[in-house]
Amino acid sequence: MVIWGGLSQAQKIRLQSQKFRQYSRFAKHEYELPEYARQMPPTRHHRWVLEEPTIDASMSILYEDERIIVADKPHGLATTPRGMWYKQTALMKIRDMYQDENIVPAHRLDRMTAGVVVFVRQKEVRGAYQMLFQEHKTTKVYECLAPCAPVRSPLVGSVEFLNKPQVFPLIRRSRIIKERGFMQAFEVCGEANSQTLITAPDDEAVYGIQYSRRGFPHVAYRTYRLYPLTGKTHQLRLHMSAIGLPIAGDDFYPVITQRHPQDLDHPLQLVARTLSFTDPIDGTYREYVSQIPLSW
């Protein structure tokens, strides 16, 4: 039996079935688009969702001009319609806000990841902005809360310490695969296809302490800054978990835990903090910073 990242195929199937059962309870009201609604763009491109959980989170606008809109996406809001989510997505909220069905995202963030997302308003420039992200011509900085603990040696891949004997900064490299039908990504043996620079800023001391039921300190958290050098699915979450520093609030890694879609009391503590790039149309340097705080 092939072992991937310490998990057997049977273990992966069991974990994924747990998550499937969780979400299947809330996806029973999805139907094909009714005939009378087929001429109502953009819903003709998506399944007609009659009911979906309401996400009680506001989304602020960091910048807008005639070409782009830069939003500060909150935790729990999917970037685009998918599966059980349609109206409760950043794209549909932006389209409704501006009454413009031509708006499309230039890139995406995971539903539980908060932070900076760029949307494009004009069809003529969509490709130019989307290619910035596809060709990795942007600079992204993420922040997360994770345990203040020793770095663990991962089962596969490598860790390069850049300033020995100090632990940070370090570069985590591994080969990540994401199979269709599985909610988790997995690290496997083989040539690395993902890299993340991980730092622990000196000005960020221990953030907070989670106490056990008996009142004893259990886990202390601190801020880490993550610089993805590649863009694999769940890369940051998987890399942090593999070195023994799982991101606070992560219900996928290291193991799947059940969470109601509307439960945002303790969301994933991962924020796309800063996004910068050279505008492909006018050549100006642009930088946007998320205002969403880390809180645990």
Side-chain angles (χ1 to χ4, degrees):
M1 183 175 292
V2 179
I3 302 296
W4 287 348
L7 293 177
S8 68
Q9 186 72 11
Q11 288 173 318
K12 291 194 295 181
I13 292 173
R14 284 198 298 270
L15 291 175
Q16 297 301 329
S17 64
Q18 292 174 4
K19 199 66 176 180
F20 175 79
R21 287 195 299 270
Q22 172 196 354
Y23 280 100
S24 63
R25 296 197 304 270
F26 306 101
K28 296 178 180 177
H29 302 287
E30 296 179 4
Y31 300 88
E32 293 299 321
L33 186 66
E35 183 63 33
Y36 67 83
R38 293 186 184 278
Q39 298 184 11
M40 296 173 56
T43 54
R44 64 176 182 271
H45 301 300
H46 306 287
R47 286 177 291 178
W48 188 254
V49 182
L50 298 183
E51 292 185 21
E52 63 181 303
T54 298
I55 302 301
D56 185 18
S58 60
M59 182 170 57
S60 61
I61 303 301
L62 299 174
Y63 174 83
E64 63 175 287
D65 60 24
E66 69 279 3
R67 295 190 299 270
I68 64 173
I69 300 167
V70 183
D72 207 0
K73 186 185 82 68
H75 298 285
L77 201 65
T79 303
T80 59
R82 182 179 181 181
M84 63 186 288
W85 303 107
Y86 179 67
K87 289 185 177 180
Q88 298 298 310
T89 61
L91 174 60
M92 301 313 293
K93 288 180 178 292
I94 288 286
R95 285 181 173 179
D96 184 61
M97 187 184 305
Y98 288 89
Q99 292 297 294
D100 185 353
E101 295 169 351
N102 292 317
I103 296 173
V104 298
H107 63 117
R108 290 174 175 81
L109 291 179
D110 292 341
R111 187 176 79 89
M112 295 307 294
T113 302
V116 181
V117 182
V118 176
F119 295 88
V120 187
R121 308 178 79 165
Q122 298 177 350
K123 293 182 179 180
E124 299 77 17
V125 298
R126 284 179 184 172
Y129 285 100
Q130 290 172 339
M131 288 304 293
L132 281 177
F133 294 89
Q134 294 178 22
E135 296 178 351
H136 306 291
K137 293 182 178 179
T138 63
T139 299
K140 303 175 184 177
V141 181
Y142 289 72
E143 289 183 351
C144 72
L145 289 182
C148 184
V151 170
R152 185 182 68 194
S153 179
L155 295 174
V156 296
S158 64
V159 175
E160 178 185 357
F161 301 103
L162 302 181
N163 190 22
K164 294 182 179 180
Q166 298 183 30
V167 176
F168 298 100
L170 63 81
I171 292 181
R172 170 79 175 115
R173 297 184 179 92
S174 70
R175 183 169 189 81
I176 294 177
I177 64 168
K178 177 70 166 62
E179 293 185 335
R180 186 178 182 85
F182 285 85
M183 292 187 176
Q184 283 179 318
F186 298 94
E187 293 183 309
V188 300
C189 296
E191 182 180 357
N193 61 3
S194 62
Q195 296 187 71
T196 303
L197 172 64
I198 303 173
T199 69
D202 293 335
D203 59 342
E204 296 288 348
V206 175
Y207 179 84
I209 298 177
Q210 176 179 325
Y211 291 89
S212 65
R213 292 182 179 179
R214 295 186 177 181
F216 296 105
H218 181 54
V219 179
Y221 293 92
R222 65 159 299 153
T223 300
Y224 296 86
R225 291 201 182 107
L226 313 177
Y227 302 78
L229 306 179
T230 52
K232 293 297 180 180
T233 300
H234 295 180
Q235 174 179 318
L236 303 181
R237 299 163 67 176
L238 192 51
H239 277 178
M240 289 294 287
S241 178
I243 61 174
L245 304 175
I247 298 174
D250 196 339
D251 56 357
F252 274 30
Y253 304 98
V255 296
I256 291 178
T257 56
Q258 294 191 10
R259 182 199 297 263
H260 192 285
Q262 292 173 296
D263 180 8
L264 298 177
D265 290 341
H266 298 287
L268 176 71
Q269 292 302 294
L270 178 63
V271 175
R273 182 63 66 200
T274 304
L275 174 66
S276 58
F277 57 88
T278 298
D279 192 287
I281 306 303
D282 59 23
T284 59
Y285 175 77
R286 298 179 180 271
E287 181 175 282
Y288 306 104
V289 180
S290 171
Q291 302 302 307
I292 296 175
L294 295 169
S295 177
W296 192 248

